[in-house]
Amino acid sequence: MNIDTLIKNGFIIDGTGNKGCHQLVGIKGDKIILPENESEIVAKEIVDASGLVVAPGFIDIHTHSDITLLVDSRGASKVSQGVTTEIIGNCGMAATPYPPARKNEIREAGSVIYAKEVEWSWEDYEEYLKKFQITGVSMNVGFLIGHGAIRAAVMGFDDRKPTEVELERMKQYIKEGMKLGAVGMSSGLEYPPGMFADVDELAELCKVVAEYGGIYSTHMRNEDDYLLDSIKESIEVARRSGVSLQVSHLKAVGKQNWGKVNDAIKLLENACHEGFNVNYDFYPYTASSTSLTSQLPKWAQEGGWARLEERLLDEDLRQQIKKEVTVKLETSVSWHSIMIASVQTKINKELEGKNLEEIADLKQKTPVEAMLDLIYEEKGAVKMIKFSMSEQDVRTVARGKLSMVGSDGYALAVDGPLSMGKPHPRSYGSFPRVIDQYQRKEKLFSLEEAIYKMTGAAAKKLNFTDRGIIKGGSFADLVIFDPDLIKDAATYTDAHQYSKGVHSVYVNGEKAYEKGKFLDPKSGMVARTGTHD
């Protein structure tokens, strides 16, 4: 038999959770074959994987690469970890749909990071997905419908219930997206406008998602003092709609809440025992990263950036914001626990990598004044890193049987336009770090289980029938790595560093990465639920 690539002498971990074994793996076109006899094979390329692990390409179930993959087709920070599929549109944030006027507002406010690096020529899901095909990317892309995006498109940033007509329009957006192969809907209930939605609205929308076999991925309403209430709310949405639930980046924020993840996991496990399809994802770090505006009171964010800007200029309202922010942050973390990751203007670039205490000293202001001034000067487009979790909680979450690995990061690069700022290291190191830190060093689980959390578990959740496991006929998304050397290199102070130990990566049969070199074959495709591929 003539094939393109034969991988021999490798230790195959197939993504099912079963024990690994030595086996031949072949690539013919964009599919995997499993030859029994090497003598019957004629291959254009032979890879000797002695001492190496061969696994399915990792599926990053929680990413925000909606724009970055259109800026740089290599997907460098992810492919170098062994990731071959990105699930975009998380936390309710998506690059479509936005009416022209609203789209410009979102771009200017920096709500979609790196938005200014690419021309938004699309207006709907179909045009957006075509952009990936026209541009060409070297990773697969599965997309979620962003609840925040469709709510903004239909009713702006108003804090109210939708009318029947508005709810129906949102349902129509979901139907359009699901018919084009969306893997489900995401929500960001800590951000506007998602924070203004109630359980009734979410459940009604998720009924449509459930009809198409999609998931509901939720950045919950609260991850600190009201974590358990938020878990219960998420389960209630699943209960009313029948949707498959994916809790995003499960964590407990603030020292006063450390340990609550144990009860959170129990609630999710109990829901599973009741017959609900429930999982969660995590990243292997004790710091989170999001917009600095997320620390502001809910009422201050109603109406979008234009209204927030007005409130920051109103002295009475500003004083109220300062009071509430101070109480929230000083009882949960501290000012030095919040580091500025990225800004948009040149004048504030020197603040990237500094915490709010340092910035306050530099500006000779109080930390809360420095924070609000920065938000105002950057029109809300400030990304932060927040050190707020305990290592023990991260271990607990990682070890859980319902867990999957999701970076909550971006496909970035150490060169070009995506090398700016001081991003969270999770964009460069999440998957190798899970193997190095939690499997190899701490032995929280076997290597087979670690790979399952990165591959087969996500494929099953997303209803990817032809990805995430090594079997004959599956798409040839593969990673070959050294199990003794694979590790993350990115740090909080120097995140733009590729991970180590990955030998090579194949995306749909084409080699995308080999020994530190990005080949950029642009062989990625839109990964859809079921057999839409």
Side-chain angles (χ1 to χ4, degrees), residues 484-532:
D484 298 319
L485 298 179
I486 188 170
K487 64 177 298 182
D488 57 308
T491 66
Y492 291 109
T493 55
D494 187 7
H496 291 294
Q497 297 187 76
Y498 296 126
S499 292
K500 305 176 186 300
V502 172
H503 178 279
S504 52
V505 177
Y506 294 82
V507 178
N508 297 311
E510 297 289 335
K511 189 178 291 183
Y513 178 82
E514 184 177 37
K515 298 178 182 178
K517 294 182 179 180
F518 298 97
L519 306 178
D520 199 17
K522 293 182 172 58
S523 56
M525 61 178 68
V526 176
R528 297 175 167 88
T529 57
T531 56
H532 289 291

Side-chain angles (χ1 to χ4, degrees), residues 231 235 238-239 245 265-278 402:
I231 291 284
I235 294 171
R239 189 185 309 277
L245 173 64
I265 291 171
K266 286 179 183 177
L267 287 171
L268 294 172
E269 288 177 341
N270 288 340
C272 283
H273 294 321
E274 291 180 42
F276 297 103
N277 190 337
V278 177
L402 301 180

Side-chain angles (χ1 to χ4, degrees), residues 30-179:
D30 62 359
K31 297 295 196 303
I32 291 173
I33 64 168
L34 299 176
E36 293 185 2
N37 193 334
E38 183 179 352
S39 63
E40 298 175 356
I41 297 296
V42 177
K44 296 176 184 176
E45 175 192 42
I46 297 178
V47 178
D48 185 351
S50 298
L52 304 176
V53 168
V54 182
F58 303 148
I59 298 172
D60 193 338
I61 198 168
H62 189 109
T63 88
H64 294 280
S65 301
D66 306 58
I67 299 297
T68 63
L69 283 172
L70 296 175
V71 176
D72 187 332
S73 61
R74 296 173 298 171
S77 71
K78 295 300 190 68
V79 168
S80 56
Q81 296 179 59
V83 177
T84 56
T85 301
E86 295 269 276
I87 306 302
I88 61 176
N90 274 282
C91 297
M93 306 170 189
T96 195
Y98 289 117
R102 184 69 64 187
K103 181 168 62 176
N104 292 334
E105 175 188 347
I106 296 297
R107 282 165 60 93
E108 289 303 314
S111 298
V112 180
I113 196 168
Y114 303 105
K116 298 175 183 178
E117 300 295 333
V118 65
E119 181 183 355
W120 285 26
S121 58
W122 59 86
E123 298 294 341
D124 55 28
Y125 298 114
E126 187 171 11
E127 292 177 353
Y128 175 60
L129 296 177
K130 282 182 180 178
K131 185 73 174 179
F132 284 96
Q133 296 170 349
I134 294 170
T135 302
V137 291
S138 293
M139 302 183 71
N140 301 309
V141 178
F143 75 103
L144 287 156
I145 298 159
H147 167 258
I150 63 174
R151 199 179 207 271
V154 172
M155 52 188 296
F157 290 79
D158 294 348
D159 183 3
R160 62 176 175 82
K161 281 178 169 287
T163 65
E164 288 187 12
V165 172
E166 289 168 336
L167 186 64
E168 190 57 40
R169 182 63 187 124
M170 284 192 277
K171 288 182 177 180
Q172 188 59 40
Y173 272 129
I174 294 173
K175 289 178 182 177
E176 291 171 8
M178 295 304 295
K179 286 178 180 178

